[in-house]
Amino acid sequence: YPVIVYHHGMGGSREDNAVLFEYLASHGFVIISSNYHWPDQKDNIDELKNDLKFIVDYTTTLSFIDQDRIHFIGHSWGSQMGLFLNQTGNHPINSFILLDNTLEQMSLEQVSRYYPDLDSIFRNHPNDFRTKTYVITSQKEYKENGELVKNPIPGFEVFELIDHGNFEFWIMRKTLSHEAFTSVGAFRSVYVDEVVQDDSAAVVVQYRTYLELNKQLLNLLSDDLYDSSLFFEKIELGKSNR
């Protein structure tokens, strides 16, 4: 069977995208997801890298998986860990899918300040990302004081530092909040009539969008001829700044 190694975002858990897991599993995928903790004084990036490598190495020992169809999906910090794994090159992953990575919305200065380890990799190892990678996000919108606010289209600025020949950058044509890339939106939509939520209308719409995204991810994982243009806008980055 094809397999998905999933890595959740900061503050999440191994179940935080359970709706996606069940959907992909119903179409023949094995899903491997694990808990991890945000690095603090007891944990550091190297330990987290080793933990992720252990999970991937363990996956390759399973007798019932297709060794040629091992994929990685990460959300937020989990997808950033996928970038670390991609850069090493020493992995059996066939493709990386990075959901709302958050780096795509940051300036170079912000990445340098908040994510120095990733910044160092982007600047010092720009040609090491050799596995097909899909960076998927959406333009954010929210209500503030009753008014709809829409954030600028992400610029993917930091990705200009690297050889992005193996990367595709997609912005969804519909909006999703950061959390709605996971099952959080599904849980909120279940209780939309019972619990007061300022954005209840958006919750329902975004949950439907999330379910549609899941279908698109299945198509992407299953079909080499997949046409993404109806659901995503493909962003072409300019010439590298290196």
Side-chain angles (χ1 to χ4, degrees), residues 1 5 19 25 32-34 39 54 81 87 93 97 106-107 113 139 145 161 163-165 182 186 196 199 209 221 239:
Y1 298 95
V5 175
V19 175
I32 297 178
S33 180
S34 65
F54 172 84
M81 289 302 299
Q87 183 267 328
I93 305 296
I97 298 177
M106 295 185 176
S107 67
R113 181 193 308 173
Q139 190 174 5
N145 299 323
L161 294 174
D163 177 0
H164 44 262
T182 70
V196 176
D199 57 346
T209 301
L221 291 163
K239 186 176 180 180

Side-chain angles (χ1 to χ4, degrees), residues 48-82:
L48 292 177
K49 291 179 187 176
N50 290 335
D51 289 345
L52 180 56
K53 186 176 185 305
F54 172 84
I55 296 167
V56 173
D57 288 345
Y58 167 76
T59 301
T60 64
T61 69
L62 302 175
S63 61
F64 49 82
I65 72 162
D66 183 344
Q67 299 282 346
D68 295 323
R69 295 187 65 190
I70 301 175
H71 307 279
F72 178 95
I73 299 179
H75 172 248
S76 193
W77 174 251
S79 71
Q80 294 176 22
M81 289 302 299

Side-chain angles (χ1 to χ4, degrees), residues 143-192:
K143 281 192 173 181
E144 186 174 276
N145 299 323
E147 298 293 328
L148 186 65
V149 178
K150 181 172 283 191
N151 288 342
I153 294 175
F156 301 92
E157 184 176 343
V158 70
F159 290 96
E160 291 278 10
L161 294 174
I162 64 174
D163 177 0
H164 44 262
N166 291 317
F167 283 73
E168 290 192 18
F169 304 94
W170 293 352
I171 294 181
M172 295 169 55
R173 297 187 182 277
K174 298 180 180 179
T175 61
L176 276 185
S177 67
H178 185 62
E179 294 78 11
F181 276 85
T182 70
S183 302
V184 172
F187 301 144
R188 291 182 65 195
S189 69
V190 169
Y191 296 101
V192 72

Side-chain angles (χ1 to χ4, degrees), residues 83 86-87 89 91 94-98 126-135 159 162-170 234-237:
L83 286 170
N86 189 345
Q87 183 267 328
H91 60 75
N94 299 110
S95 67
F96 288 85
I97 298 177
L98 312 183
N127 300 306
D128 287 2
F129 300 89
R130 299 176 181 175
T131 303
K132 188 67 177 180
T133 302
Y134 302 90
V135 182
F159 290 96
I162 64 174
D163 177 0
H164 44 262
N166 291 317
F167 283 73
E168 290 192 18
F169 304 94
W170 293 352
K234 187 174 181 180
I235 303 300
E236 299 291 344
L237 299 192

Side-chain angles (χ1 to χ4, degrees), residues 197-216:
Q197 303 179 51
D198 292 340
D199 57 346
S200 58
V203 166
V204 174
V205 172
Q206 291 203 19
Y207 175 50
R208 293 171 184 160
T209 301
Y210 166 72
L211 294 181
E212 190 175 351
L213 171 64
N214 291 352
K215 293 180 181 179
Q216 299 293 328

